[in-house]
């Protein structure tokens, strides 16, 4: 049986930003071994409830929606180029030779290429000084061809990550992690310049599936800066009544059972069991981890926070893992870059 | 019977910032007439539950705690003056001749005087231009004797309030309403320069009464930028599991009944009935409104969001209205001004 004790694990979720449509690349550290009994399908959780019920939930197809969004972005990028001769540009700064990070950067480049966004990559050696990185950030801040800047994390330990992230001009902070953006997201009557990509993708999926948010009880599991916290703020902006569960919450299942909409962003495979879910709820599963599975082609499979086999028999709609929230994150990054270019060049036709 | 439909009413709460120990001054627009049956004590709500129970809740004495805090601040201000010759300074800009605003400003001045903080008041005529106000803000931004700046709201309608508030240097934003401060409050691993005064006062009361927050279920009613939202963020920072109720919430009483800690900041007299409260809960009532009462000395009385007569028989601790949260707000404003002066002058002895 899975433990119900969990941790807030924001860094684990960072790879989401980097997952392209062509498949996920996850760091070795994300491979965990579950002690849960596995089912025939290898999903890793048993059908402890409603075992006789057939799967009834609509599967929210993040991959298909992300594809549609990318097509829309591609059209807009072309239109912008034809109208005013401007091509949106995304710059990524990578410090060091971390293999995983390099893969993420490659995936971003591919995604940009696929929609016509220009990508700029700056690879700096591991031993670069903080000043050198800041200088590069400053260069992109002032480069009129660049409309979005990402500094690939993690940075080498001798650098002050906050200092470097804060140096990114807020008008180009397509990650949406600048505290000024988060503050505007939290405040009524204020508008953030950018909304963080993964939570934005979650809400976009709800919208695209016509799932009402206003007046609904929403529960977010996890309070990370990059997913849980901004997801809660977004849901509140849409007039949901929001509760946030985290590692210090006692009996989280008592709260999740009240949720009409449940977003989980923790990184504990199969933590959310069928019994945690209110019948008819909508489930957005942001968690993703590799779980060892000798029967799988690569010796592992990707598992979300939610025990899918159980949840799909209780929920009314659910995102799968993979191909749920993941593909939406990169689509939202492209969307934020396009938005930035439009704003900078006053292209609102 | 009171309606359970309520609105988010942030502006109503603004007067809290201005309420001195010498009594509240509330705008005429805050005087409401309740249709609730009144009790002998004139509190305005009936004892619909546990009518035979005696009041058992500890009364959280905000007035006494605020007095202690002001005494602590006074000592610190003296020590700072003696050690480095610096006197903390608070500047208030008042535009126009709104009588209520003028009273608030006077109350602030009195509070500053009582602890030895220097106060600066700038009164500008109603017909001033936005540029003139911005110039004044800029003057205080650059004045080394000023460590905190407040722009008295509301501003005349021909001015852009956000624009003027944003002009206050974040290092002197003792109100804590700058989006950058709110963003830092929301983010794990970040620290706001200032925490908004009223929610800070609520948490301070919990601390001073040794009421544990970590792991508790906390419910905040109201999501205003100045109280509800930052109160929820503060509770989450202290590891409570937080739910936020607002005007779009269905059956709010179902959620409040789960709260170990309930903070209400709406401005609907007696909205929270005894039946909304979990036995043993701690209640912080931020709401305050004048309610017509011919039997009261001035023809009105001040009433909170919570039906006190009922709540004090169910809760384990409760703030009264007045003399609960109100006096803490001004104490926190003084505290923020002292903190600002210490930070600016590196006085951390």
């Amino acid at each position: 049986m899975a433990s119900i004790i969990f941790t807030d694990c924001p860094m684990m979720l960072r790879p989401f930003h980097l997952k392209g449509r062509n498949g996920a690349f996850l760091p070795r550290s994300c491979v965990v071994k579950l002690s849960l009994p596995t089912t025939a399908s290898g999903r890793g959780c048993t059908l402890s409830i409603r075992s006789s019920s057939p799967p009834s939930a609509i599967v929210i197809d993040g991959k298909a929606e992300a594809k549609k969004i990318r097509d829309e972005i591609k059209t807009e990028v072309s239109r912008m180029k034809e109208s005013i001769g401007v091509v949106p540009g995304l710059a990524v700064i990578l410090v060091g030779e971390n293999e995983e990070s390099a893969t993420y950067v490659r995936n971003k480049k591919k995604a940009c290429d696929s929609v016509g966004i220009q990508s700029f990559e700056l690879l700096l050696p591991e031993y670069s000084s903080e000043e050198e990185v800041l200088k590069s950030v400053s260069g992109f801040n002032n480069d009129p061809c660049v409309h979005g800047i990402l500094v690939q994390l993690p940075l080498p330990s001798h650098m002050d990550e906050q200092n470097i992230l804060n140096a990114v001009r807020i008008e180009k902070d397509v990650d949406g992690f600048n505290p000024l953006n988060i503050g505007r997201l939290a405040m009524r009557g204020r508008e953030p310049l950018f909304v963080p990509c993964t939570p934005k993708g979650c809400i976009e999926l709800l919208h695209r599936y016509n799932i009402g948010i206003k007046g609904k009880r929403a529960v977010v599991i996890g309070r990370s800066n990059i997913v849980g916290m901004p997801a809660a703020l977004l849901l509140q902006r849409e007039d949901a009544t929001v509760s946030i569960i985290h590692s210090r919450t006692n009996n989280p299942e008592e709260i999740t059972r009240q949720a009409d909409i449940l977003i989980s962003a923790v990184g504990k495979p199969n933590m959310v069991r069928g019994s945690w879910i209110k019948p008819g709820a909508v489930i957005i599963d942001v968690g993703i981890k590799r779980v060892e599975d000798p029967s799988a082609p690569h010796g592992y499979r990707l598992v979300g926070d939610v025990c899918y086999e159980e949840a799909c028999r209780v929920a009314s709609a659910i995102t799968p893992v993979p191909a749920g929230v993941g593909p939406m994150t990169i689509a939202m990054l492209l969307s934020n870059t396009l938005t930035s270019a439009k704003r900078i060049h006053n292209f609102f036709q």
Side-chain angles (χ1 to χ4, degrees), chain A residues 16-242:
Chain A
F16 263 65
H17 263 258
L18 313 155
K19 187 166 165 273
R21 279 171 60 216
N22 302 327
F25 181 94
L26 289 164
R28 181 59 46 188
S29 61
C30 281
V31 179
V32 295
K33 197 169 180 179
L34 281 186
S35 56
L36 292 167
T38 54
T39 60
S41 67
R43 279 252 167 216
C45 49
T46 54
L47 300 180
S48 62
I49 55 157
R50 297 184 166 215
S51 55
S52 59
S53 316
S56 55
I58 291 167
V59 180
I60 297 175
D61 188 343
K63 198 170 170 183
E65 291 306 320
K67 171 75 171 60
K68 286 184 209 165
I69 293 166
R70 290 158 73 127
D71 288 346
E72 290 159 18
I73 292 171
K74 190 174 181 175
T75 305
E76 277 298 283
V77 167
S78 294
R79 201 170 65 81
M80 193 175 178
K81 188 176 176 183
E82 282 162 22
S83 301
I84 59 169
V86 170
V87 177
L90 176 67
V92 182
I93 298 173
L94 174 61
V95 187
E97 292 172 14
N98 183 307
E99 193 192 329
E100 293 155 11
S101 293
T103 306
Y104 301 152
V105 172
R106 270 198 304 277
N107 284 344
K108 278 174 189 161
K109 182 172 164 41
K110 272 188 209 164
C112 285
D113 290 348
S114 74
V115 297
I117 288 178
Q118 203 172 358
S119 61
F120 304 84
E121 288 153 57
L122 182 65
L123 311 179
L124 293 170
E126 179 85 19
Y127 52 79
S128 304
S129 68
E130 192 174 317
E131 288 64 37
E132 284 170 306
V133 180
L134 286 170
K135 204 175 156 190
S136 306
V137 170
S138 174
F140 285 131
N141 276 341
N142 298 320
D143 186 338
C145 296
V146 171
H147 306 96
I149 302 171
L150 289 186
V151 180
Q152 185 63 53
L153 300 181
L155 287 164
S157 56
H158 65 279
M159 293 179 188
D160 183 336
E161 191 173 291
Q162 277 193 27
N163 207 19
I164 291 170
L165 291 179
N166 285 347
V168 174
R169 258 182 67 188
I170 187 153
E171 293 84 359
K172 298 189 179 186
D173 172 40
V174 285
D175 252 345
F177 297 153
N178 187 300
L180 186 55
N181 260 326
I182 297 291
R184 289 182 182 173
L185 190 64
M187 295 173 86
R188 303 189 83 195
R190 303 273 184 147
E191 290 297 327
L193 288 175
F194 301 102
V195 173
C197 302
T198 302
K200 186 179 178 184
C202 295
I203 304 298
E204 187 69 27
L205 282 178
L206 295 175
H207 288 168
R208 287 181 174 247
Y209 274 77
N210 292 317
I211 294 162
I213 302 176
K214 191 177 202 162
K216 296 287 176 66
R217 286 289 307 274
V219 174
V220 177
I221 313 181
R223 52 177 168 171
S224 69
N225 287 345
I226 61 173
V227 188
M229 178 269 289
L233 296 177
L234 277 171
L235 287 164
Q236 188 164 295
R237 279 179 93 87
E238 302 237 0
D239 289 333
T241 298
V242 183

